[in-house]
Amino acid sequence: MVGFAQLRDLKTEALRESAQEFYDFASWLDRKQQLVRVDSRSLTVTGEWDGPAAQATLARYRGLDEVFEGGKTEYRAICAILRDAADDIGAAKKKLTDAIADAQAHELVVHDDGSLSWGPLKPQGHQPDPQDIEAHGTRMKGLSEDFQRKFKTALDDATDADARAASALRGDIGASATSFNAKAIGGGELPDSVRAAALAKRIDTLSPAELEELRNLLHGNEKSSIFATNLMNTLGPNGLLELQAGVVNRGQKWTGHDADGATMDDLRAIQDALGTNLATATQPKGEPHVTQSWVEGLKEAGRSRTFVLNDMPKHYLYGYQLLGNMLHQGDYDKQFLGDIGKDMVAFDRSEPGLHEAVPVIRERFPLMDDAQGHEGRGYDSLEGLMDALGRNPGAAETVLDPAGGNLHYLLKERDWGADTGVGSPADSFGKAFEAATTGHPAGAGAGGAHTDGGARIMAEAVHIIGQEGVGGHFADYRDSFGNAMASYMPDIHNELRNDRAGGSAGPDPLFPNSGEARATFLGGTPDHDLLRTMAVVAEDPKAFKAMSDAEHSYIAVGLERISKGDPPAGLTADQHLAQSAQVVGALDAVRTEAIRNQQVLSDKEYNDQVAWNGKVANAVVGGAIKMSPLPTMVSEPLSRIVALTTDYSAQQAAVDTSATADRAIADQHAWGRGYMQTIAADWAGVHGREGEIPGFDLTVGNNFTTGERRAQEALGRE
């Protein structure tokens, strides 16, 4: 392990100078070689010397020429290895040096062993009180732990680089004390990939030291397109999947040789690094990458059930089951992942028992099991694919395109297995759906804009659920569906208001020139479908909260624009409140229906989770916030308008499902009506329009009832 002070004080120039000396000596050998060649030609080609003695001398010259050639190759290889080590260790040193400077800038003292300390809180004109002293200590301790992690990362990088160089030197110099190695490879990304491929092809018999070397090579070069692409081309698609199977077999507990902890760590790291290297090899960006013919070969290998698990008895896996596990790691090219993903789903549709090719036994697939989840999850090829799609919105949109039938299959037809909950295959599908529809990676909250393709997926999913009900695993991805619907709240608002566009999504009522794609819920997806879908989504209190927070934020944004004198043409406060009250009325009915349908949640649990605080409201109206020209749009309306009613809304949100009559339940859940009246009064008071409050109250009350009744009718409650 490279030490802290050792790396901090290291002079990488010495490594570069040493590398240059080996290069210079190789050049000296080259000059001597040319002289020998000149002598041999002058003696034999010119005919000045002939006969047995001349021929014997010529043979010795040829042998000497081979020695020179081998020496040049070995010395230049050593030079390349040392230069590569200097680059890698230099990068690690810079990482450490930057972290040290940053720590010192935060008033931390960095000691020679890498430990950190800090001084007492400095007085600010008065003696610090105990709370300030405690807070200072907590803050500095957190900073210290953060910088310790940064130091460790730099030291680990340097140690890995040192180990790679040592391994390469041992291989190129060899064990012979009497001859040069004419087959020395050298250092750098391409030679490293040659070494990694050679080790990978012997995965079944690698020693612990060789396993560690393979791990180091794969991890240290995982961002290099030259390394990754040459590795993939050398192994080939079939060889890549054979390597993955070999890694799994090395870690199995049924083979009679339980792997120790260090070996298992290496195997898991190799498995992860295969995914990141494959991802790197798929990225074009002007760099080397795998060709389309290689991808086609991967498809062919993926559909082949020829990969062996050395159990008793043996079992065979499809290549896509092994590839699916690799997809958990890495950032893949959108085109590659969309292309291979469509084929994986198509194959899954043609082979419904695909992930049951091997019986689900917890310990049979320990690496896929322990690294990613439980209950044999690694056998489901689509679980890894969906995980990757959740990080890649563009590819997710391609794979979930409704035109190909994949969306309906994944929503309604596919059996996602017995595994449930966070991290399950169905949960991963939810992440892919969220990425495809929102335009940003699942869980990011903000990022890319809605696209036409993503909007089509959202509208079609609403239509499918509204017409056919939810699939068997909907509860596992209900939260992701709620996040997706929350991001479309401007479109939903536009659909549920009484004077909506009529036949198309129409422009955003608040930002008609935003240019963001809109989901067309009207027409192909009627109100009834939308409200039914919202009701089943709302059975998860957090999902309902995401939708309601988005609507509350949208209301506040509109009122702020009106108060700033920047509303869309013809939109008045009275109109905006009327339209918003209809939407909130519909949400109220949706919430009532959700509570009625979800009796397994206690009233207290639902109330605790649905009590909203406005913290995420600004994140789920991405289109409105991104397009607003008002610099205070987020901070002012959300803090002044939404936050003003937090306490009131929390009180009004309390539910009691013991009542049995629909009307009694609806009355108890009429928090939305009170919210609309309160926000209207607060807004009017802040902007000096108190005289309009009675009119606002009437507008809000009437339109809330209209929206509520329309929703109840759609849900079959009137």
Side-chain angles (χ1 to χ4, degrees), residues 681-693:
D682 287 342
W683 179 81
V686 168
H687 293 89
R689 300 174 65 166
E690 293 88 343
E692 300 179 59
I693 290 178

Side-chain angles (χ1 to χ4, degrees), residues 704-715:
F704 179 90
T705 300
T706 298
E708 182 184 41
R709 287 178 177 171
R710 281 180 52 239
Q712 289 169 343
E713 179 184 356
L715 296 169

Side-chain angles (χ1 to χ4, degrees), residues 108-428:
L108 287 164
V109 179
V110 183
H111 301 283
D112 286 343
D113 62 354
S115 61
L116 294 161
S117 62
W118 56 91
L121 180 63
K122 296 177 181 178
Q124 302 293 327
H126 60 84
Q127 192 67 23
D129 59 37
Q131 292 86 352
D132 291 339
I133 294 173
E134 182 180 0
H136 171 72
T138 301
R139 173 178 173 274
M140 299 307 288
K141 181 181 178 182
L143 286 170
S144 175
E145 292 172 349
D146 183 43
F147 284 113
Q148 287 283 3
R149 286 190 289 270
K150 292 180 179 180
F151 293 168
K152 184 179 185 303
T153 298
L155 295 176
D156 287 346
D157 288 352
T159 301
D160 287 349
D162 183 49
R164 283 196 301 275
S167 177
L169 286 170
R170 283 194 298 269
D172 279 359
I173 293 174
S176 175
T178 59
S179 63
F180 292 116
N181 179 11
K183 296 182 179 180
I185 299 172
E189 298 153 311
L190 191 59
D192 277 357
S193 71
V194 174
R195 287 192 180 87
L199 290 168
K201 291 176 181 178
R202 297 191 293 111
I203 187 67
D204 293 341
T205 59
L206 292 183
S207 67
E210 288 173 322
L211 271 179
E212 184 178 0
E213 181 183 359
L214 178 58
R215 167 187 181 165
N216 199 346
L217 287 167
L218 292 172
H219 174 66
N221 293 283
E222 62 187 10
K223 299 300 181 183
S224 165
S225 60
I226 294 173
F227 175 93
T229 302
N230 192 62
L231 177 66
M232 296 302 149
N233 287 335
T234 303
L235 294 175
N238 204 72
L240 173 65
L241 299 178
E242 289 283 9
L243 172 57
Q244 175 77 322
V247 171
V248 171
N249 282 325
R250 283 293 300 262
Q252 285 184 29
K253 297 184 179 180
W254 304 99
T255 55
H257 59 277
D258 289 0
D260 58 35
T263 297
M264 291 298 290
D265 287 345
D266 284 339
L267 291 171
R268 289 190 179 96
I270 289 170
Q271 197 173 52
D272 288 346
L274 286 177
T276 52
N277 275 277
L278 175 60
T280 298
T282 68
Q283 296 284 357
K285 298 180 181 176
E287 301 288 341
H289 58 280
V290 292
T291 63
Q292 186 59 37
S293 62
W294 193 95
V295 177
E296 295 303 320
L298 183 60
K299 292 178 184 177
E300 183 178 351
R303 290 170 173 261
S304 171
R305 190 181 174 186
T306 57
F307 301 95
V308 181
L309 286 190
N310 293 326
D311 298 342
M312 296 179 60
K314 289 184 177 180
H315 291 95
Y316 292 85
L317 291 176
Y318 289 101
Y320 274 151
Q321 292 177 273
L322 294 164
L323 176 62
N325 186 256
M326 276 188 271
L327 295 178
H328 282 291
Q329 302 294 330
D331 297 318
Y332 291 84
D333 172 61
K334 178 178 72 173
Q335 183 174 343
F336 166 83
L337 190 58
D339 185 16
I340 204 77
K342 286 173 65 177
D343 195 66
M344 290 177 75
V345 175
F347 186 56
D348 193 84
R349 292 172 68 175
S350 69
E351 296 283 344
L354 173 63
H355 53 287
E356 298 173 1
V358 179
V360 177
I361 300 176
R362 180 173 175 77
E363 295 296 341
R364 192 185 300 281
F365 225 162
L367 298 189
M368 296 188 179
D369 180 348
D370 295 342
Q372 271 89 34
H374 52 83
E375 298 305 319
R377 184 177 298 159
Y379 290 121
D380 189 341
S381 60
L382 293 198
E383 195 262 334
L385 172 64
M386 294 300 149
D387 189 19
L389 293 178
R391 305 188 301 272
N392 194 317
E397 183 182 317
T398 297
V399 175
L400 270 59
D401 184 357
N406 285 349
L407 181 64
H408 191 278
Y409 170 71
L410 297 170
L411 272 175
K412 290 290 297 178
E413 302 168 40
R414 189 176 196 266
D415 179 3
W416 289 99
D419 198 4
T420 61
V422 176
S424 66
D427 179 58
S428 294

